[in-house]
Amino acid sequence: MNRMTRDQMAARVAKDIPEGAYVNLGIGLPTKVANYLPVERDIFLQSENGLLGMGPAPAPGEEDWELINAGKQAVTLLAGGCFFHHADSFAMMRGGHLDICVLGAFQVSVGGDLANWHTGEPGAIPAVGGAMDLAIGAKQTFVMMDLLTKQGESKLVEACTYPLTGLGCVSRVYTDVAVFDVGAQGASVIEMVDGLSIEELRRLTGVPLAYAAQPQVA
Amino acid sequence: MNRMTRDQMAARVAKDIPEGAYVNLGIGLPTKVANYLPVERDIFLQSENGLLGMGPAPAPGEEDWELINAGKQAVTLLAGGCFFHHADSFAMMRGGHLDICVLGAFQVSVGGDLANWHTGEPGAIPAVGGAMDLAIGAKQTFVMMDLLTKQGESKLVEACTYPLTGLGCVSRVYTDVAVFDVGAQGASVIEMVDGLSIEELRRLTGVPLAYAAQPQVA
Amino acid sequence: MIDKIVESAAAAVADIQDGASVMIGGFGTAGMPDQLIDALIDRGVGDLTIINNNAGNGETGVAALIKAGRVKKIICSFPRQSDSHHFDAAYRAGQIELELVPQGNLAARIQAAGAGLGAIFTPTGFGTLLAEGKETRTIDGVDYVLEYPIKADFALIKAQSGDRWGNLIYRKTARNFGPIMAMAATTTIAQVSHVVDLGAIDPEIVVTPGIFVQRVVQIASTTNHALAA
Amino acid sequence: MIDKIVESAAAAVADIQDGASVMIGGFGTAGMPDQLIDALIDRGVGDLTIINNNAGNGETGVAALIKAGRVKKIICSFPRQSDSHHFDAAYRAGQIELELVPQGNLAARIQAAGAGLGAIFTPTGFGTLLAEGKETRTIDGVDYVLEYPIKADFALIKAQSGDRWGNLIYRKTARNFGPIMAMAATTTIAQVSHVVDLGAIDPEIVVTPGIFVQRVVQIASTTNHALAA
């Protein structure tokens, strides 16, 4: 089976973001999605620290450390972008104005519950940031993650064992081997990589998976 | 007894507004107070339709009907003034940022209850505007009113009979014949016009009035 | 390419249906989107719920909408004015329902809708007729009334300049309810005096980010500044 | 004449006492009022409750305040970062109390304080550890958590320009929490890169009206834009 690279995963997510969408890309892996949004498509990237219309990273040496994204990386602003304060920024999420947010995850349940902020380990210092607001605020929450942990456990689960970020908030999960829809109807497979079978995927995840007759090959 | 004119009342209120105060002057009689604020004193007039640093009326012919006060009169903006939206404007009141508001009233109770928005008459169309927000939001709410109705009834009352605007919100009442403090301690006379006695004032109002040994003559 | 500019007021309001809830900006006539309202009247739809600070002034704007019999209910803070005769007549005839809301609660409830809050405890109105029957609570010694968000299907607002992404700036006290109504409506339609190029509005001074605006229509503003209130 | 300009950061913070609650603007280092924090450290007061998005980065700002042992409690959304070692050490040693708040609830609670609301029902955090023990309610089919305002004795914020009445404008994403913290604190102190004449800031573009600001101090900004996060 051909696992997708992180760049392939980012390109795959980008394919599902339509022109005109207002999108927040979470810290880490989701940030890569920006690299695969076609420049001819007007897509509006929001960063919760107060900008809309985020552009690519500046050239080295051109950084302005008062123009950063939520990951505290230097960014640029497109013509037509703007700045605003934190209350307005989170009103954009909570008020349902963002179309899509893309987040990383420790676990996603087949019902769409998300766990991505806290391992729950004793001694771990928790940090939540905007994850809970994004998860429940955007009209659609996409998750990008490897399907399995380094120990081979499925991160798509029947019920999350890590502390939750939000309940029933995830609609689609992009992994390195398959794309799933999740939610009240349970999980269904949308696409699988070449060489992977639904039986193998069921075995890997250990969760019930609905299966369209002809899932698309990624 | 020498009743004060409306201009004398306005001048009297103005005397109690210190430099640096943020002030909202209600529609009608309170608007006149602006004419008596000394120009050398920096006093910040707010109007709830979204401006701070309100200046005097423009010269005739110079009106800009997108630069108006809450009474929908054309005004001007001082250097250092600014515009904002309605939610921020009422946050200034409700959040306790305004120092003083000056309102007209139908009735004020000795405990500081205010009735100034609705006569309660059958068939009357009620309109409340910003009165309830101002009454309870400003750090101090002053009322300006004639002491008596045209029918000779006291508008300073034991308990309001008109529908209330706010509970216990008024601290001082400026009338045409006397100035009162009101609140949890009841009403006390601060000043009376020349020729008026405390006995006469008690008779006119019909409410218990505390009385400093030497109230100031207005 | 995303271009939110529409060619006419008629096109901008063409999907407003009978029974819609419509926020209308403006405080008195300042910021009143008269041409959008005229287009709405021309559409002929009725049973509208209107959210505005007032209930119309004179013969234009919300007053004209009420006069035309299109308004089932109005949510506002200050209906009765010297020139609110069309509302007054409709109200006395029992033809229009009034929900009277203190102005600051109106603003806060609209803002709460835009921000996705479920309800807010506000001190304004406690102990008054306008809080009768509402849930109250004492928090840290202060009395509050529980108020719910006000959202709408559409917002019709007026701004000074807008671009094709929907970014808006306003003019003086015509700003008033525009920014918060834009956040609280499913579809926000802004009439602007000037359509400007993308990037022409300094990103630091945008008042309403384009995410809150779905359509922009340019209407020459020559008459509005000169109109008496 | 009202002049809110004070001559130095030390003078600006001179009345902050032991046990005070202090909001500090900034998201990471952008908008962090480093010189006001340095002046606060120099004052030597402790037992502070700090409200900030983070719990310090590297060696400056909130990190330096924590390192100096002045912080009893921090209310923030994202304490753990690659360079939050001073917080991490204090937290593991049990020397600092942490109230972890989702970032949007932090913003909404600060805004609620500034606006005089008693409490808000927010959907964020429902069903999570961060809502444990909190009152919840289902409104129109959505689940909400009741959250209370966060106010403070002082706010220390950074802005781009300010005038003697306290009007402020910000620079890019250094704006972040500044405008809402200014509204939620009893005394707001702004360090600005430029003090400008009254009227030099266009009244249409003022972000924080002077009513929310008590003191302004000019601090040359040469280093800040160049500092790495």
Side-chain angles (χ1 to χ4, degrees), chain A residues 94 132-133 136, chain D residues 102 104-105 122-126 128 131 143-145 147:
Chain A
R94 214 190 297 109
M132 288 186 181
D133 304 276
I136 60 97
Chain D
N105 283 355
T122 168
T124 302
F126 179 86
T128 75
D143 296 316
Y144 298 92
V145 183
E147 294 281 1

Side-chain angles (χ1 to χ4, degrees), chain B residues 54-68:
Chain B
M54 185 167 64
E62 300 288 305
E63 296 89 352
D64 177 343
W65 296 105
E66 291 188 339
L67 177 48
I68 59 174

Side-chain angles (χ1 to χ4, degrees), chain C:
Chain C
M1 188 180 107
I2 294 296
D3 187 353
K4 299 183 180 180
I5 312 297
V6 293
E7 61 184 301
S8 68
V13 303
D15 60 347
I16 303 183
Q17 305 296 341
D18 281 329
S21 54
V22 184
M23 292 181 169
I24 298 180
F27 181 91
T29 54
M32 180 77 75
D34 282 328
Q35 286 77 3
L36 290 177
I37 300 171
D38 288 345
L40 180 58
I41 294 171
D42 289 344
R43 246 188 81 59
V45 294
D47 279 332
L48 302 172
T49 295
I50 298 296
I51 299 103
N52 178 253
N53 186 62
N54 302 104
N57 299 83
E59 302 299 325
T60 61
V62 173
L65 198 61
I66 292 172
K67 181 183 181 187
R70 308 297 167 70
V71 184
K72 178 182 63 178
K73 176 180 177 179
I74 188 155
I75 302 175
C76 70
S77 87
F78 209 78
R80 191 201 59 230
Q81 297 182 269
S82 57
D83 56 355
S84 64
H85 42 274
H86 289 304
F87 168 79
D88 298 359
Y91 182 76
R92 291 191 201 284
Q95 291 162 348
I96 191 166
E97 182 188 345
L98 169 66
E99 179 179 345
L100 189 68
V101 181
Q103 196 172 151
N105 283 356
L106 185 64
R109 292 172 64 186
I110 292 169
Q111 190 177 42
L117 301 179
I120 55 174
F121 280 107
T122 168
T124 302
F126 180 86
T128 75
L129 273 181
L130 298 187
E132 270 191 349
K134 295 186 175 179
E135 180 175 339
T136 62
R137 190 179 294 201
T138 305
I139 300 168
D140 283 343
V142 179
D143 296 316
Y144 298 92
V145 183
L146 187 67
E147 293 281 1
Y148 294 91
I150 300 175
K151 57 189 172 193
D153 300 320
F154 293 89
L156 309 183
I157 63 175
K158 182 182 177 185
Q160 177 68 0
S161 299
D163 63 30
R164 69 176 170 88
W165 282 2
N167 294 302
L168 302 178
I169 55 173
Y170 299 82
R171 186 170 178 277
K172 303 188 178 180
T173 56
R175 184 183 307 196
N176 57 70
F177 284 91
I180 54 174
M181 287 181 170
M183 298 172 73
T186 306
T187 301
T188 292
I189 306 166
Q191 77 169 61
V192 301
S193 301
H194 307 283
V195 166
V196 299
D197 287 342
L198 213 58
I201 305 176
D202 179 349
E204 300 281 8
I205 74 163
V206 169
V207 174
T208 295
I211 190 173
F212 299 125
V213 177
Q214 283 66 47
R215 295 169 203 159
V216 174
V217 59
Q218 179 167 309
I219 305 283
S221 67
T222 44
T223 55
N224 285 288
H225 301 167
L227 267 179

Side-chain angles (χ1 to χ4, degrees), chain A residues 27 47-51 63-73 75 83-88 90-91 93-94 106 114 117-120 122-134 136-137 163-167, chain D residues 27-31 53-54 57 77-81 87-88 91-92 98 100-105 107-108 111 122-130 158 160 171-177 179-180 207 224-229:
Chain A
I27 297 177
S47 190
E48 60 263 39
N49 56 316
L51 76 163
E63 296 89 353
D64 178 342
W65 296 105
E66 290 187 340
L67 178 47
I68 60 174
N69 66 13
K72 302 185 177 88
Q73 300 164 307
V75 296
F83 301 108
F84 35 84
H85 64 55
H86 249 80
D88 280 348
F90 280 82
M93 296 175 198
R94 214 190 297 109
F106 298 145
L114 173 66
W117 71 282
H118 190 11
T119 61
I125 299 178
V128 65
M132 288 186 181
D133 304 276
L134 280 164
I136 60 97
L164 290 179
T165 306
L167 288 166
Chain D
F27 181 89
T29 55
N53 187 61
N54 303 104
N57 299 83
S77 87
F78 209 77
R80 191 200 60 231
Q81 297 181 269
F87 168 79
D88 297 359
Y91 182 76
R92 292 191 201 284
L98 170 66
L100 189 68
V101 180
Q103 197 172 149
N105 283 355
Q111 190 177 42
T122 168
T124 302
F126 179 86
T128 75
L129 274 180
L130 299 186
K158 181 181 176 186
Q160 177 68 358
R171 185 170 178 279
K172 302 188 178 179
T173 57
R175 185 185 304 197
N176 58 70
F177 284 91
I180 54 174
V207 174
N224 285 288
H225 301 167
L227 267 179

Side-chain angles (χ1 to χ4, degrees), chain B residues 1-6 8-9 12 29 143-149 153-156 173-180 189-198 200-205 209 215-218:
Chain B
M1 126 180 105
N2 301 310
R3 288 178 193 280
M4 284 198 278
T5 64
R6 313 208 125 210
Q8 286 172 320
M9 289 168 68
R12 178 61 193 83
L29 181 53
V143 160
M144 280 177 83
M145 63 181 192
D146 287 335
L147 182 63
L148 304 180
T149 65
E153 292 163 345
S154 176
K155 296 165 76 173
L156 179 66
V173 182
Y174 299 84
T175 73
D176 52 341
V177 297
V179 179
F180 305 88
V189 179
I190 302 301
E191 294 173 10
M192 291 183 287
V193 294
D194 222 11
L196 180 63
S197 68
I198 182 68
E200 175 69 359
L201 197 50
R202 284 179 176 140
R203 195 190 60 75
L204 285 171
T205 60
L209 292 174
Q216 290 256 273
V217 173

Side-chain angles (χ1 to χ4, degrees), chain D residues 111-201:
Chain D
Q111 190 177 42
L117 300 180
I120 55 174
F121 280 106
T122 168
T124 302
F126 179 86
T128 75
L129 274 180
L130 299 186
E132 271 190 349
K134 295 186 174 178
E135 180 176 340
T136 62
R137 188 179 296 201
T138 305
I139 300 169
D140 282 343
V142 179
D143 296 316
Y144 298 92
V145 183
L146 188 67
E147 294 281 1
Y148 294 90
I150 299 175
K151 57 189 171 190
D153 300 320
F154 293 89
L156 309 183
I157 64 174
K158 181 181 176 186
Q160 177 68 358
S161 301
D163 63 29
R164 68 176 171 88
W165 282 2
N167 294 303
L168 302 178
I169 56 173
Y170 299 82
R171 185 170 178 279
K172 302 188 178 179
T173 57
R175 185 185 304 197
N176 58 70
F177 284 91
I180 54 174
M181 287 182 170
M183 297 173 73
T186 307
T187 301
T188 293
I189 306 167
Q191 77 169 61
V192 300
S193 302
H194 307 283
V195 166
V196 299
D197 287 343
L198 212 58
I201 305 175

